Amino acid sequence: MTDSSKLLSRMATILVFAFPVLILCVPRGAGVFLAGVGVLALLGWRGMGRAWREYSKVLTPLAIAVLAFMLVYVGSKLYFHTPWNVIDNPSRTLLAVLTCWVIARTAPDPARLWQGITVGLCLALLIVLWQKFYLGAERPSAFVQAIAFASMVAALALVGFARPGHNRTANVIAWFNIVCALLILMLNGTRGALLAMLVTLMPMLLVRYRRFSIRMFVVAAVSVAVLGAVAYVVPGSPLGKRVDDVVSEVRQFDQGSPESSIGARLMMWGAGAQYFASHPWTGVGVGQFARIVQATPYCAQIHDPVRRSQSIVCILEHAHNDIVEAAATTGLPGLLTMLGLFLVPAALFVHTLRKSRAMGNAQGIHLAGAGLGVVMASLISGLTQVTMAHQANVVFYAGLIGLLLGMAGREAHSARTDAV
């Protein structure tokens, strides 16, 4: 390795370590990470072509998935003559390809990602505690929108849980990441993110514990259940209160009022599903879900602008559900390509996991397992939010998938090369 390559590798390692801290704890940290990836691509441009050829089995399918997604969304924008800014957030999915490409080129140390996650979660917990008890924030979320912040915390905790090492210290740090995230989510109060983390944690036990027995599974499952119960029963827990609110909000919706978090979602999902059924190929246009909401009988009958602006339902601009949003705005093509952003990386992680396992590469196994955890948690979180609605959320998902795929692909490739 030349001196310039070593320097690039060190710079990439620093960026990998900083990623969780930037995303969770720094205002506009997602933009800083994006800029860092761009700088590495420019500095390492001479070897980018070779890196693409060497890791094409990972990069090419990922690029096809992202470009297909972008093609549908740009096509929807042109067909409906909507403003170009509706493409702003979706276009950031290109970061997944660029990040994976840069990581394949620069070869950072994967161990720094696990360290950065623990540091990032600890700092995020301190920020959230300060915002909750000193500033009095109802749903503290550092410097990001509350739901997006919670989803990022859950996903990073799962990656931290999948860290390599099976000794006592490694296991303690892995569970510490989960507990730290649990405390953050309790203070933040986002129900979907907690559910995503706890549900995904069950299959992630197979990554954390290689020699998995029935007894160990029962103990671990009980531990996960206890974590969830603690988050609910702790006195004063915002999460516990929000879980209790679910029953009353569903009852309120049944009585004809959607003016609640759950009620608004149920009404929007129903309206979005109906619009998709009547416009299955085109939808209403990318970024135009608010038109569907405004056309519902409930919102159409509210003529007073002040009253309408005070409505929880009628001011919402997206469906709070990835599937409903994609189907209702871009039709079946948009739905399929949106799902491709999750399922194609999942298939690539499975492929690299099998390669690493066959070659006995523990680092590769844990990186690929972590990637599968991120995809699963993101899909579950996407049932109550829209990934493309928040810039930080898009950059987070694309950046983390790119980091993990790039490093997992390198590990699988090096294991194969060593075997030859």
Side-chain angles (χ1 to χ4, degrees):
M1 183 181 288
T2 64
D3 290 341
S4 60
S5 294
K6 289 180 180 178
L7 178 60
L8 275 176
S9 182
R10 292 192 194 103
M11 293 174 64
T13 297
I14 292 172
L15 187 63
V16 166
F17 174 83
F19 174 75
V21 179
L22 289 172
I23 287 291
L24 296 181
C25 309
V26 178
R28 302 188 181 279
V32 176
F33 172 75
L34 197 157
V37 172
V39 169
L40 287 175
L42 291 174
L43 293 176
W45 68 272
R46 289 183 183 277
M48 295 293 279
R50 184 178 67 252
W52 187 282
R53 292 189 295 272
E54 200 167 350
Y55 299 96
S56 61
K57 290 185 178 179
V58 170
L59 285 165
T60 300
L62 180 63
I64 290 173
V66 172
L67 291 176
F69 170 80
M70 285 302 305
L71 181 64
V72 170
Y73 273 58
V74 171
S76 177
K77 175 261 172 291
L78 295 174
Y79 182 79
F80 286 100
H81 304 287
T82 53
W84 277 105
N85 61 6
V86 299
I87 303 298
D88 184 23
N89 284 354
S91 68
R92 296 172 193 273
T93 56
L94 294 167
L95 179 63
V97 181
L98 181 60
T99 303
C100 185
W101 194 3
V102 166
I103 293 300
R105 163 69 178 89
T106 57
D109 181 3
R112 302 308 176 195
L113 176 63
W114 317 112
Q115 295 170 357
I117 286 173
T118 303
V119 172
L121 289 173
C122 288
L123 291 176
L125 178 58
L126 292 176
I127 294 171
V128 166
L129 286 168
W130 176 67
Q131 290 177 331
K132 179 68 178 179
F133 296 108
Y134 183 75
L135 299 180
E138 183 179 355
R139 296 184 65 185
S141 55
F143 310 102
V144 187
Q145 193 271 346
I147 299 176
F149 174 76
S151 299
M152 293 188 287
V153 167
L156 284 173
L158 291 165
V159 177
F161 185 74
R163 60 181 290 123
H166 301 283
N167 55 34
R168 180 173 297 179
T169 300
N171 288 332
V172 167
I173 296 174
W175 282 101
F176 173 80
N177 290 328
I178 295 296
V179 172
C180 194
L182 180 68
L183 294 173
I184 295 172
L185 295 176
M186 286 172 61
L187 294 168
N188 173 270
T190 299
R191 297 164 291 206
L194 178 67
L195 178 65
M197 186 178 78
L198 294 180
V199 169
T200 308
L201 192 56
M202 298 303 294
M204 292 294 287
L205 294 171
L206 298 173
V207 179
R208 172 80 257 140
Y209 300 104
R210 302 278 293 280
R211 298 175 182 175
F212 205 72
S213 65
I214 297 298
R215 178 183 175 184
M216 185 182 296
F217 178 81
V218 171
V219 171
V222 170
S223 300
V224 173
V226 168
L227 287 174
V230 167
Y232 174 74
V233 303
V234 167
S237 168
L239 188 63
K241 180 182 180 301
R242 285 180 56 77
V243 171
D244 289 337
D245 288 342
V246 172
V247 175
S248 62
E249 290 178 5
V250 170
R251 186 180 299 116
Q252 181 181 335
F253 177 78
D254 289 338
Q255 293 172 353
S257 174
E259 295 296 335
S260 66
S261 177
I262 298 296
R265 282 175 167 85
L266 292 174
M267 197 194 86
M268 289 190 301
W269 297 347
Q274 290 178 3
Y275 197 90
F276 172 62
S278 59
H279 303 81
W281 295 109
T282 62
V284 70
V286 57
Q288 303 302 301
F289 190 83
R291 291 174 52 194
I292 298 175
V293 177
Q294 297 295 329
T296 59
Y298 178 80
C299 292
Q301 70 178 352
I302 304 177
H303 301 292
D304 182 5
V306 176
R307 186 184 164 199
R308 178 175 290 210
S309 67
Q310 295 173 344
S311 168
I312 296 176
V313 179
C314 300
I315 63 171
L316 293 175
E317 298 184 353
H318 58 83
H320 281 270
N321 182 293
D322 275 334
I323 294 174
V324 174
E325 174 81 14
T329 58
T330 53
L332 188 59
L335 175 61
L336 293 176
T337 54
M338 185 278 295
L339 289 175
L341 295 179
F342 298 98
L343 300 182
V344 170
L348 292 172
F349 282 125
V350 169
H351 180 69
T352 55
L353 176 63
R354 288 173 176 168
K355 274 191 172 182
S356 295
R357 184 171 288 166
M359 301 300 176
N361 187 312
Q363 188 86 269
I365 292 171
H366 286 269
L367 286 167
L372 287 171
V374 170
V375 171
M376 182 175 176
S378 299
L379 281 169
I380 297 172
S381 293
L383 297 176
T384 53
Q385 70 159 354
V386 174
T387 304
M388 301 299 156
H390 305 286
Q391 182 184 118
N393 210 13
V394 183
V395 173
F396 168 76
Y397 178 75
L400 186 55
I401 288 296
L403 286 176
L404 292 172
L405 262 181
M407 291 189 288
R410 282 196 62 88
E411 293 296 324
H413 181 80
S414 64
R416 183 182 62 187
T417 304
D418 293 343
V420 174

